[in-house]
Amino acid sequence: MEAIGADRYKKIGRDDAAIDQLLVGHFLEAHDRAPVQIILDVDATDDPIHGHQEGTFLHGYYDSYCYLPLYIFCGEFLLSAQLRSASIDPAKGALTDLQRIVAQIRQNGPGAYSGSGRFRILPRRDHEVV
């Protein structure tokens, strides 16, 4: 990754890893102690595109040109948001994000999040839940 602000045409830089950690960190700071259960909701949804943006793709299911961002929530907390082209499988990248989130929760969460807990992927309707 190039240094933030190193390109004179990019006035605002970003550190993707720091943003990812910030979202999970916000969730962890909101809890004084570990919840009895954590349910992570993984969702890919359409984000319609108007014009000729990079990554545009006509998605047959949504019948529009769109992006297909991947979101992971725990209740009201957004833990991950990945902007993606609609030309990929809706689940692509979900396992990698889930592994990162679970590792951060285990490493930095309140005491009861230690490795003794079990994280499982359970089928739920047409979704998978961790």
Side-chain angles (χ1 to χ4, degrees):
M1 183 174 114
E2 71 182 53
I4 295 175
D7 184 337
R8 67 183 242 180
Y9 297 105
K10 294 180 183 175
K11 300 299 180 189
I12 299 175
R14 70 177 193 274
D15 182 341
D16 294 340
I19 293 170
D20 289 342
Q21 288 188 357
L22 175 73
L23 293 172
V24 177
H26 175 65
F27 165 74
L28 294 173
E29 288 173 6
H31 297 87
D32 293 331
R33 56 181 207 196
V36 174
Q37 177 175 295
I38 295 176
I39 297 174
L40 301 178
D41 179 19
V42 180
D43 186 29
T45 190
D46 66 316
D47 184 6
I49 297 172
H50 306 283
H52 300 287
Q53 287 88 353
E54 179 181 348
T56 189
F57 185 79
L58 178 62
H59 196 285
Y61 179 80
Y62 297 109
D63 194 28
S64 68
Y65 287 90
C66 62
Y67 292 120
L68 195 63
L70 179 67
Y71 299 108
I72 301 177
F73 286 92
C74 184
E76 64 190 42
F77 293 93
L78 176 64
L79 303 180
S80 178
Q82 306 296 330
L83 182 61
R84 309 161 323 144
S85 170
S87 65
I88 64 172
D89 183 288
K92 183 174 181 171
L95 183 58
T96 302
D97 276 358
L98 286 170
Q99 290 170 332
R100 176 187 54 77
I101 290 166
V102 168
Q104 189 176 349
I105 290 171
R106 284 184 171 160
Q107 181 178 9
N108 300 313
Y113 284 124
S114 66
S116 63
R118 294 186 182 206
F119 288 84
R120 298 178 292 155
I121 295 180
L122 304 172
R124 181 177 169 188
R125 290 183 227 132
D126 60 337
H127 297 78
E128 290 191 5
V129 178
V130 170

